[in-house]
Amino acid sequence: MEFSKLQMRDAFIEKLYKRAIKDKNIIFISNEFGSESLDKFRSDLPEQFINAGISEQNIISVAAGMAIQKKKVFVYSIASFITLRCFEQIKLDICAMNLPVTIIGVGTCYSYCVDGPSHHATEDISIMRSLSGMNIYSPADSNIAAGLVDVALNSRKPVYIRLDREKLPIFYSIKENINSGYKVLKEGKDICFISTGIMTHKAFEAVTDLEKFNFNIKIIDIYRLKPVHHIDIIKEIKNFKIVVTLEEHTLNGGLGSIISEILHDNNINIKLKRLGIKEELLYSYNLRNDNHKKNEIDKDSIIELIKNLNFL
Amino acid sequence: MTDYKKKSKEIRRKIVEITSICGGHIASSFSYVDILVAIYYSGIFKHNPGKPDWQERDKFILSKGHGETALFTVLADLNYFPEAWLNEHYRRGNCYLGGHPDYKIPGVEITTGALGHGLGIASGIALASKKENEKNFHYVLMGDAECTEGSVWEAALFAAKHKLNNLIAIIDYNKIGSIDFIENFTSIAPFKDKWEAFGWEVMEIDGHNFKEIISALKYSKKREKSSPLAIIAHTVKGKGVSFIENDPTWHVKKLSTTDEIDKALSELK
């Protein structure tokens, strides 16, 4: 398994840099937040980089104003800050006016682990998907993250991209077609796993071990959480008796809820088990793997769950 | 040559007529009508009702969106959209001419209503405009109570840092919020000092004196400073109708009796 040499944010920024040197209308606004790759962007393209300071509400408003003037704006910050602190600005300044601003939030869920709840984006999927017009991406590897640069540039809509901080294994080709919003990374027939972000990696770890117990499990990685086309998902899961969703995110309103809504709204009678962050464990300072164990979304817990499912 | 006083009375009369039918914040509109008339009828502010998307236009943003009645009345008067929209559809729930400005309305630049957003958006517009070497100016009309929103000061810091001298904030300093005089709930004064401390050039004017308003608008385009400009306009909430003036309870009230409407209109002859 090849691991990415770059964090997702650096893969994204390096790709964006290549576009920005040819397009002066690309503007990158940082919330006093950096990265290795950003240093080059800042020094080579000073007219296209803005450090707006620690002012999330203003950053979103400024981004909206620049987008009104036809700039292609990217806002960059820690995911928890740039979704919660300025949610009204995202709703009214960007979504209500349908402006093509891309928000890059770094640090999905427990990425910042011991830094604690102030830095944990544990509910960003829930709140951002409540916004009409918002498109949400949650890549599982840095190749998809880099590919989202062109998706964002070609989109005429608000976009939120949530990025993990780890250098995760690579699943996707650098030339992957990112239009469908999901990919079946492994075929299977007994159970269907639907996962996003780092949990797609956890899913693979668990499924690899579960094969020794003769479980044949399908894995679908969803990297576009909004919009999710019901027809596509139904086509992929309709022959299964059970679907398990895996997300490193609160169980209130995330991926599990998305799939639950699809099943219910389309009268699909499939059992659904949702794995994610339990509400009572949302605020913590634990190491990431310990958080996974406590929430029973680590590899061993997933294996135990599947072995004990009495449906087959 | 526009008779500004006559035009502003005409606008206020129209506001009385429509708000008494369908509501709207009459006092909040009345306090800035004179500023609005000076902007839209003096020829200083560059705009074209026939081309609301004209690239070279100056932009006006009503950040205190609850004062929409005055703006819509002026825009209708200038034929940005048919007066019938105002007479028949405003606040009736069947079109975008609702209780706060929406960007889809011809002549309205951005959607507002939640306070504290306009200055930040205008800062983004002004910064992008500067990068393109555009020669237009961007005016944001804010309320004074609106300036208790932290986002206003985030934008003020940003605008000063980026030397947005094409950005002008006009504050409708009528000293009244929604339920009380602002001195009773916030330490906004000394107001001029605050804007100056944030790096802005500041003017103070009588917001009902056309000579002073016009002079300030002319200056806003001629000044040779790198800083943004704040025009603190001392106004009276409800200006124009004596029994509405300077009374916090009139933030939410509307003229509801024939007697009240007649009295108001008689003062606006």
Side-chain angles (χ1 to χ4, degrees):
Chain A
M1 175 70 75
E2 184 198 348
F3 277 75
S4 174
K5 296 183 178 57
L6 297 172
Q7 282 193 38
M8 289 189 195
R9 59 171 134 173
D10 294 310
F12 186 95
I13 292 171
E14 279 191 4
K15 181 77 174 285
L16 184 63
Y17 172 87
K18 288 178 186 162
R19 297 288 182 259
I21 52 177
K22 293 178 184 170
D23 186 351
K24 297 278 171 258
N25 282 317
I26 292 175
I27 301 290
F28 192 95
I29 310 180
S30 166
N31 190 28
E32 256 276 271
F33 185 53
S35 82
E36 287 176 26
S37 53
L38 196 53
D39 292 342
K40 186 171 168 61
F41 196 113
R42 288 168 68 182
S43 66
D44 290 359
L45 302 170
E47 290 302 312
Q48 291 169 251
F49 174 81
I50 300 168
N51 179 359
I54 304 168
S55 55
E56 291 81 5
Q57 294 176 71
N58 187 58
I59 280 171
I60 297 294
S61 293
V62 164
M66 297 192 87
I68 286 169
Q69 296 291 108
K70 309 292 184 231
K71 297 296 181 192
K72 299 167 192 175
V73 188
F74 292 78
V75 174
Y76 172 72
S77 179
I78 288 177
S80 182
F81 302 157
I82 204 62
T83 50
L84 292 172
R85 192 73 170 255
C86 47
F87 189 66
E88 184 180 274
Q89 277 75 10
I90 297 172
K91 173 186 171 185
L92 296 176
D93 300 353
I94 294 178
C95 291
M97 294 198 279
N98 195 30
L99 288 169
V101 172
T102 298
I103 299 169
I104 306 149
V106 175
T108 48
C109 201
Y110 293 131
S111 293
Y112 281 99
C113 53
V114 298
D115 284 316
S118 60
H119 285 59
H120 295 166
T122 36
E123 55 282 296
D124 59 329
I125 302 173
S126 309
I127 61 166
M128 295 299 269
R129 66 184 284 252
S130 71
L131 295 174
S132 176
M134 178 59 73
N135 293 259
I136 303 172
Y137 292 90
S138 175
D141 75 11
S142 55
N143 281 348
I144 290 285
L148 288 174
V149 168
D150 287 337
V151 170
L153 284 170
N154 293 328
S155 170
R156 302 303 305 153
K157 293 192 161 298
V159 171
Y160 169 57
I161 301 172
R162 57 196 305 269
L163 301 178
D164 203 281
R165 290 175 74 223
E166 292 189 28
K167 293 176 184 176
L168 296 169
I170 300 290
F171 283 131
Y172 290 91
S173 154
I174 194 75
K175 294 189 177 129
E176 188 73 33
N177 179 327
I178 316 186
N179 288 330
S180 65
Y182 75 95
K183 187 164 182 167
V184 176
L185 293 178
K186 181 188 173 299
E187 287 293 354
K189 59 178 182 52
D190 296 333
I191 302 166
C192 185
F193 278 11
I194 302 179
S195 55
T196 192
I198 192 171
M199 290 311 296
T200 295
H201 297 272
K202 296 292 169 193
F204 262 96
E205 287 173 22
V207 164
T208 303
D209 279 11
L210 282 165
E211 281 176 343
K212 297 175 196 147
F213 300 94
N214 295 319
F215 285 98
N216 186 341
I217 300 174
K218 179 173 182 173
I219 302 177
I220 303 174
D221 173 53
I222 298 204
Y223 53 79
R224 189 183 67 216
L225 291 165
K226 181 169 178 163
V228 174
H229 298 304
H230 290 201
I231 291 174
D232 291 341
I233 301 300
I234 291 166
K235 180 187 76 180
E236 300 292 351
I237 65 174
K238 64 181 184 202
N239 296 322
F240 288 87
K241 287 196 183 126
I242 185 159
V243 166
V244 179
T245 58
L246 301 96
E247 60 191 305
E248 195 200 39
H249 182 271
T250 176
L251 285 164
N252 297 331
L255 174 62
S257 301
I258 292 170
I259 302 303
S260 172
E261 288 160 25
I262 291 174
L263 294 176
H264 181 268
D265 291 352
N266 294 280
N267 294 312
I268 309 279
N269 187 15
I270 294 176
K271 286 191 196 315
L272 174 66
K273 178 65 186 169
R274 300 181 300 128
L275 298 183
I277 307 301
K278 302 178 204 305
E279 187 169 315
E280 59 273 19
L281 297 174
L282 269 175
Y283 309 134
S284 76
Y285 295 86
N286 301 316
L287 293 171
R288 198 171 195 178
N289 285 337
D290 291 339
N291 273 323
H292 288 176
K293 286 191 183 102
K294 286 179 189 301
N295 285 286
E296 297 175 299
I297 58 171
D298 61 305
K299 182 187 80 167
D300 293 339
S301 301
I302 297 168
I303 291 168
E304 262 326 282
L305 169 81
I306 298 302
K307 282 162 72 180
N308 292 324
L309 283 174
N310 56 353
F311 62 95
L312 290 174
Chain B
M1 182 74 178
T2 309
D3 183 337
Y4 299 115
K5 286 188 180 169
K6 186 175 172 205
K7 177 57 73 176
S8 71
K9 279 191 179 171
E10 186 188 309
I11 299 295
R12 283 191 169 91
R13 282 200 301 274
K14 188 70 184 176
I15 293 171
V16 165
E17 283 169 29
I18 46 180
T19 56
S20 56
I21 297 167
C22 55
H25 295 81
I26 186 172
S28 300
S29 273
F30 273 14
S31 59
Y32 84 100
V33 163
D34 303 312
I35 296 167
L36 201 61
V37 163
I39 286 173
Y40 276 94
Y41 295 86
S42 65
I44 301 167
F45 178 77
K46 230 170 28 168
H47 71 112
N48 184 341
K51 289 186 196 170
D53 297 331
W54 180 35
Q55 186 75 10
E56 290 163 37
R57 71 188 187 282
D58 294 332
K59 292 193 174 77
F60 174 79
I61 284 169
L62 184 62
S63 189
K64 54 168 255 181
H66 56 279
E68 87 288 355
T69 322
L71 178 61
F72 291 171
T73 304
V74 164
L75 293 177
D77 186 57
L78 290 168
N79 293 315
Y80 270 92
F81 52 79
E83 198 176 327
W85 290 14
L86 199 61
N87 296 335
E88 295 160 31
H89 301 295
Y90 168 54
R91 279 182 168 261
R92 300 321 198 271
N94 58 11
C95 74
Y96 284 107
L97 232 63
H100 296 86
D102 189 275
Y103 79 114
K104 292 199 176 83
I105 300 166
V108 174
E109 299 290 351
I110 66 170
T111 297
T112 52
L115 296 171
H117 290 235
L119 192 62
I121 297 176
S123 296
I125 290 172
L127 180 58
S129 191
K130 251 192 184 303
K131 284 184 180 297
E132 295 300 315
N133 293 314
E134 290 175 355
K135 303 296 175 212
N136 42 10
F137 291 82
H138 310 286
Y139 298 82
V140 185
L141 196 294
M142 294 194 284
D144 48 3
E146 179 177 8
C147 293
T148 53
E149 287 277 8
S151 53
V152 167
W153 301 101
E154 289 182 17
L157 282 172
F158 181 90
K161 178 63 192 169
H162 290 274
K163 298 184 170 36
L164 300 180
N165 56 1
N166 55 346
L167 175 67
I168 301 100
I170 305 174
I171 302 103
D172 179 359
Y173 196 21
N174 61 38
K175 323 280 188 326
I176 294 176
S178 305
I179 62 171
D180 203 354
F181 294 93
I182 58 170
E183 65 181 351
N184 290 339
F185 63 85
T186 189
S187 55
I188 207 160
F191 205 25
K192 179 174 189 244
D193 293 3
K194 287 185 170 66
W195 286 96
E196 282 180 344
F198 275 69
W200 288 57
E201 183 185 10
V202 187
M203 295 179 74
E204 289 193 85
I205 61 169
D206 174 350
H208 302 297
N209 180 315
F210 281 105
K211 201 168 160 199
E212 289 189 30
I213 303 168
I214 302 272
S215 174
L217 290 174
K218 282 181 179 166
Y219 176 71
S220 73
K221 290 196 165 191
K222 285 197 309 218
R223 56 196 283 267
E224 289 173 2
K225 301 266 172 69
S226 60
S227 59
L229 175 67
I231 301 174
I232 297 174
H234 291 265
T235 55
V236 174
K237 194 154 183 173
K239 176 75 176 179
V241 174
S242 58
F243 57 90
I244 298 177
E245 287 180 6
N246 225 25
D247 178 351
T249 64
W250 272 96
H251 179 78
V252 292
K253 287 198 310 203
K254 70 177 197 175
L255 297 159
S256 46
T257 65
T258 315
D259 197 39
E260 274 184 338
I261 296 166
D262 287 345
K263 264 195 198 155
L265 288 172
S266 72
E267 290 192 24
L268 293 169
K269 279 196 184 127

